[in-house]
Amino acid sequence: MSDQPHVLLISTDHWPAHLLGAAGHSAIRTPTLDTLAASGVRYTNTYAECPVCIPARRTLMTGVTPRTHGDREFAVQEPMPRLPTMAQTFRDAGYQAYAVGKLHVFPQRDRIGFDDVILAEEGRPILGAIDDYELWLTEQGYPGLSYGHGMSNNEYVYRAWHLPERTHATNWATEQMCRMIRRRDPTRPGFWYLSYCHPHPPLVPLQWYWDFYADAEIPLPHSSPWAQAADELPYALRVIQQRYGTNFSEAELRGIRRAFYALCTHIDHQLRLVIGTLREEQLLDNTIICFTADHGDMLGNHGLWAKRLYYEDSANIPMILLGPGGDPRTPAGTTDDRIVGWQDVMPTLLHLAGIPIPDTVEGISMVGDQRRDYLYGEVGDGPMGTRMIREQRYKLIYYPTGNCTQLFDMDVDPLEQADLSASPAHAEIRERLTARLIGELYGGDEAWVQDGQLVGTPDRDFQPGPNRGLSGQRGIHWPPPPLDLRGKQVGMPG
């Protein structure tokens, strides 16, 4: 029997950092995560370097930035880079490594170093693999019906889940992980990765969780003077506002958020079964636990939706970390405001487990003494491209199309309502962050700079086109639809 700690890494999709009771949210109910936060450390300034699914997950699994792993867009058919993965590094140290849920790699059955992956790919048989969740639904008598509810992965229409409760993707992933833990090799430590698909749309909560929020005071989205000046917005923001719309009624906005919160609380409650399994298997006190998300969701704040943005709702993500019981490196009930990225998860878990960190890793252990001065963020190569510098207090967001810059004081303005980029009192701060951003540019981005100054590219108009595909709407998947390996992104604005 090994004395090395086990590791449970839990990832969700689209979960903003502020949607936790432990973070002071007025409406969300997350009792399990609140208790975990009270038992370890909650990192309040954790960011997605590239707040979109595939690039973020490449960073998580390799500990490197988008610049190194090669995707800052959404490269659907790009294989993982030839770098040591988190799973392989744990296996090389004698661990058994298993994953359940969403991996979002290509080919879809690439195990990226895991011993096995029990896969749920959000209805993507067009890329070549019928995932394990779809196969299981078929065995339960519901072939091809994971999207029989008719809701979209990339829109904010909502309804209750259409099949029996046990068949929901959240329940399925939980059950599979509990089974995986029970079936472990008792002679070796385990690295378990549980990757939930939600609260990413489709917004299809179980009826019980929808009803649970019936009397909740769901807050409406907040806005800002800069967001309401529609004609002055950067091109990328005009695209998103016009693509998703800005004319939602209060009832619609509250309904969207109610469905979203319901999906979050459902995950929170299901995690109790995983924790309970670890406890009953007498593993809990020797298990490192990390809960996080690949990125957040704007959920209508500033008139914006989804991800690919560097405002807090999209880029600031939850990070809760517990070492083995009694580990002084993760003191119970504490918060840590250091600047953290997803590149830091791999070195942190390896550090806590006492495993050497590969030289290829660029991230920093969250339980070490080293702290970064700033984090660089990048998403997109075309006209929707956006870049970010996040220091401890200030955040600079840059939109090259139209050469637009925003500056926020995160200490006094956490909702990012006051753009300080034109403030004479903040000129020196803007220059410092701008110089840092210029120093990070590569891969053609250098053309945005002339004589040491950001000039960007010409602004452009956006004319909304038809949305005949309903933002990548899935259909009935039995029999499976034909392969589509054109590498085309679906559901993306712009």
Side-chain angles (χ1 to χ4, degrees), residues 306-317:
K307 53 213 174 196
R308 291 180 170 260
L309 297 166
Y310 285 103
Y311 305 109
E312 292 294 278
D313 304 283
S314 169
N316 183 214
I317 53 178

Side-chain angles (χ1 to χ4, degrees), residues 151-306:
M151 301 295 99
S152 171
N153 268 55
N154 302 291
E155 291 184 346
Y156 293 85
V157 290
Y158 56 90
R159 57 154 288 176
W161 179 245
H162 62 302
L163 297 176
E165 180 171 321
R166 181 169 176 258
T167 64
H168 196 282
T170 296
N171 295 63
W172 175 85
T174 301
E175 183 177 335
Q176 295 300 316
M177 179 50 70
C178 292
R179 181 177 298 172
M180 189 71 74
I181 293 169
R182 290 195 300 268
R183 294 183 64 250
R184 73 193 181 281
D185 177 348
T187 68
R188 293 191 294 153
F191 169 54
W192 297 297
Y193 176 47
L194 173 55
S195 179
Y196 288 110
C197 295
H198 291 296
H200 189 306
L203 300 183
V204 285
L206 293 177
Q207 185 68 49
W208 190 94
Y209 289 97
W210 170 261
D211 294 342
F212 179 73
Y213 280 97
D215 299 322
E217 296 185 6
I218 305 291
L220 290 171
H222 59 259
S223 189
S224 55
W226 60 262
Q228 293 170 353
D231 294 338
E232 301 174 16
L233 286 176
Y235 172 79
L237 303 190
R238 299 198 306 271
V239 170
I240 291 173
Q241 281 196 355
Q242 294 180 55
R243 175 67 181 79
Y244 289 103
T246 57
N247 296 318
F248 295 94
S249 68
E250 289 191 5
E252 288 173 321
L253 291 168
R254 286 197 168 96
I256 291 167
R257 290 181 165 213
R258 178 179 171 183
F260 197 95
Y261 296 178
L263 289 169
C264 292
T265 300
H266 182 193
I267 291 173
D268 180 275
H269 287 183
Q270 286 288 297
L271 283 175
R272 305 181 78 85
L273 298 176
V274 181
I275 300 300
T277 298
L278 290 171
R279 186 189 69 81
E280 291 177 342
E281 294 291 315
Q282 301 178 40
L283 305 176
L284 184 59
D285 288 342
N286 194 33
T287 298
I288 299 161
I289 301 174
C290 180
F291 173 85
T292 186
D294 59 352
H295 51 75
D297 192 305
M298 293 302 295
L299 286 177
N301 290 326
H302 304 296
L304 302 168
W305 296 89

Side-chain angles (χ1 to χ4, degrees), residues 394-468:
Y394 293 97
K395 180 197 292 184
L396 183 139
I397 302 174
Y398 180 61
Y399 300 96
T401 304
N403 196 36
C404 298
T405 299
Q406 293 178 319
L407 178 68
F408 299 102
D409 183 337
M410 303 307 299
D411 282 359
V412 302
D413 182 26
L415 298 183
E416 299 163 305
Q417 294 176 310
D419 177 10
L420 303 175
S421 60
S423 165
H426 295 83
E428 184 177 336
I429 295 166
R430 173 178 168 169
E431 289 175 7
R432 182 181 72 241
L433 271 69
T434 298
R436 284 181 159 169
L437 187 141
I438 289 173
E440 295 284 352
L441 299 179
Y442 70 94
D445 295 358
E446 304 95 325
W448 301 339
V449 182
Q450 291 183 10
D451 300 323
Q453 302 295 316
L454 288 171
V455 297
T457 61
D459 203 359
R460 54 196 294 167
D461 293 326
F462 173 69
Q463 298 297 328
N467 184 17
R468 296 172 64 120

